[in-house]
Amino acid sequence: MRNQWIGSTTNSSNPIFPHFPLLNFLPHHMAAWVFIATLTSPGCQPMAPLPSGKATNVEATTTADAVSTSTASNPSSTAPDVGLTDQSAPASEMKPSPTTPANDQSPSLGASATSPAPAASSTTPAEPTTPPAVPDLVGDDATSKQEPVPEEALLNETNCDEKPAPPVNVKAPQLTALFDGKTLKNWKSTEFGGEGEVSVADGKLMLGVGSPLTGVTWHGPKLPTSNYEIQIEAMRVDGSDFFCGLTFPVKEDPCSLIIGGWGGGLVGLSSIDGMDASENQTGTHRSFENNKWYAIKLRVTDDNIVVWIDGEQVIEQPLKDVKLSIRIEVAPSKPLGICSFTSTAAIRKLELKELDKPQPATTP
């Protein structure tokens, strides 16, 4: 059987190994067993192709020894890829050290020591890298800068279909001067009987001593009867009683503000439910000096009557469920008039302001 597989003769014309002519120079018994041992040996493994394609066995052995020596002296360096794998090394040692540069030049089989080594093969997957930014929409440029949206466009989006209301030109209430400081225009001396002299001098309206009353009454254009303010500066020049008795309309009813009455210090409204200022809840006492100006402000609304003297609130009278009236002596002062009682008085800066809407009582 053996002779049939390896050949039946040793004649040179009929070779022993027709399929392996290189083995014909060996004795046929030895060549056959060497060939069989080579094919069946478990320790023989194929080697990776040589990089140059011309390296000899001696060069391969020399280079492999150099690689082993380099690896032993520098364990952290990456071993060259020569087609062999160390099965005994753990997986953690097979992973390249993170401190080893990527361009580590280790000698490889068939290449010089100065030539760059190919990338080391490893079973550990490469660390994932951050993917490039992808635009959310087709056609968007991820690197382009978004243009700022105009403020007007944002307002349009916010308001939707609502259009802003056009600005309303609200004019502040204007003061109307009721006394020009030069004449008695729109004013007449009140006929009380026993009144003193009325004159205009140095920008002041002068009311002489009467017996007992002296004053003036408005005869000009019709004035408001609610929601208005009157500002007046008054001074007692001589005497000891009220120097400002201001009669004014409150809707359909008249009322009087008394400043300095009953011996020179009474302040109040006359009359509330038939009671004079000295008797009702509005009456208070203050000290007033002669030849000193006092700023008086009266406000009339649908709800109340408020009075300030030199910026200090002195009266706040609600109008609900009360009956307003005046003393019979000052009836000739309606609808608007000013008078003094047994005293010489001076009046200046007499102004009126209409109010657009009711004002709070605490606002001066």
Side-chain angles (χ1 to χ4, degrees), residues 316-335:
E316 181 182 356
Q317 174 60 50
L319 299 179
K320 185 177 180 181
D321 300 330
V322 298
K323 176 63 177 178
L324 301 178
S325 62
I326 56 176
R327 292 281 299 258
I328 188 63
E329 294 88 346
V330 296
S333 296
K334 297 187 304 184

Side-chain angles (χ1 to χ4, degrees), residues 166-251:
V168 179
N169 296 327
V170 179
K171 294 183 179 180
Q174 299 295 323
L175 289 173
T176 301
L178 302 181
F179 172 58
D180 60 11
K182 300 177 182 180
T183 65
L184 286 175
K185 181 181 180 180
N186 296 326
W187 294 95
K188 286 185 179 181
S189 176
T190 307
E191 297 179 358
F192 290 116
E195 65 273 6
E197 183 182 0
V198 177
S199 61
V200 177
D202 301 327
K204 299 185 294 289
L205 173 63
M206 302 299 298
L207 303 177
V209 179
S211 180
L213 298 171
T214 300
V216 292
T217 303
W218 177 258
H219 285 268
K222 186 177 180 179
L223 300 176
T225 60
S226 183
N227 296 319
Y228 67 90
E229 290 179 353
I230 291 178
Q231 298 182 22
I232 182 175
E233 291 185 4
M235 177 176 65
R236 184 169 55 203
V237 179
D238 190 20
S240 59
D241 216 297
F242 67 81
F243 57 95
C244 179
L246 176 63
T247 300
F248 57 93
V250 182
K251 297 182 180 179

Side-chain angles (χ1 to χ4, degrees), residues 105-123:
Q105 297 180 356
S106 300
S108 59
L109 187 61
S112 62
T114 59
S115 61
S121 62
S122 174
T123 59

